[in-house]
Amino acid sequence: MPQADRNRPTHRLTRRTYSLTSRRGPTWPTLVLGTIAAAGFALVTSRDNSKKADALCAPPMSERDIREQLAKARIALDHEVATRLVMEQQASESLAEIHRMRTDLTFLKRQRDKSN
């Protein structure tokens, strides 16, 4: 065989050893793994559904608990309103300061340009 023929891809393919393999995979382990996965999914789903049912069937809250939650919500709302007012005041003060600084900057730039 000439030297050029040994470097051809078809020559390399014919020098390999081949063996027969089954076309079907193992069925028993696949079946067991599928069954375990399905059981795990069913367990998680049933747990979620039971939590939802418990929440729907829970006894109603007492009036005292409702009033406590309402009082906490009102306090939180008052705190948020006060915080928002302070933040808006600080923002307006910052904007006024920025406006004053820009005015001073333009004045100083004009003075510098006149002196040059």
Side-chain angles (χ1 to χ4, degrees):
M1 192 177 305
Q3 188 69 13
D5 287 343
R6 289 185 185 193
N7 295 331
R8 285 194 335 211
T10 56
H11 181 69
R12 278 186 250 133
L13 285 175
T14 58
R15 294 290 181 189
R16 292 186 183 164
T17 58
Y18 294 98
S19 63
L20 296 176
T21 58
S22 66
R23 302 263 308 165
R24 296 182 187 179
T27 57
W28 182 251
T30 307
L31 181 64
V32 170
L33 290 176
T35 305
I36 290 172
F41 178 74
L43 181 66
V44 170
T45 305
S46 68
R47 188 180 312 148
D48 291 342
N49 288 340
S50 68
K51 286 180 183 177
K52 290 176 186 176
D54 289 344
L56 290 175
C57 299
M61 294 176 58
S62 68
E63 187 175 338
R64 179 179 174 216
D65 292 339
I66 293 173
R67 289 184 188 273
E68 286 177 2
Q69 284 187 354
L70 182 60
K72 288 178 184 178
R74 284 183 179 158
I75 291 170
L77 179 63
D78 292 342
H79 184 264
E80 184 179 344
V81 168
T83 304
R84 185 179 299 263
L85 289 174
V86 169
M87 295 295 288
E88 287 176 357
Q89 183 182 5
Q90 288 177 351
S92 64
E93 289 173 359
S94 297
L95 285 174
E97 181 69 23
I98 290 171
H99 183 67
R100 280 194 302 274
M101 293 176 100
R102 283 186 180 161
T103 305
D104 292 346
L105 182 63
T106 55
F107 174 75
L108 292 172
K109 281 184 179 180
R110 286 183 187 161
Q111 292 296 321
R112 184 189 65 191
D113 292 341
K114 286 181 183 178
S115 66
N116 287 339

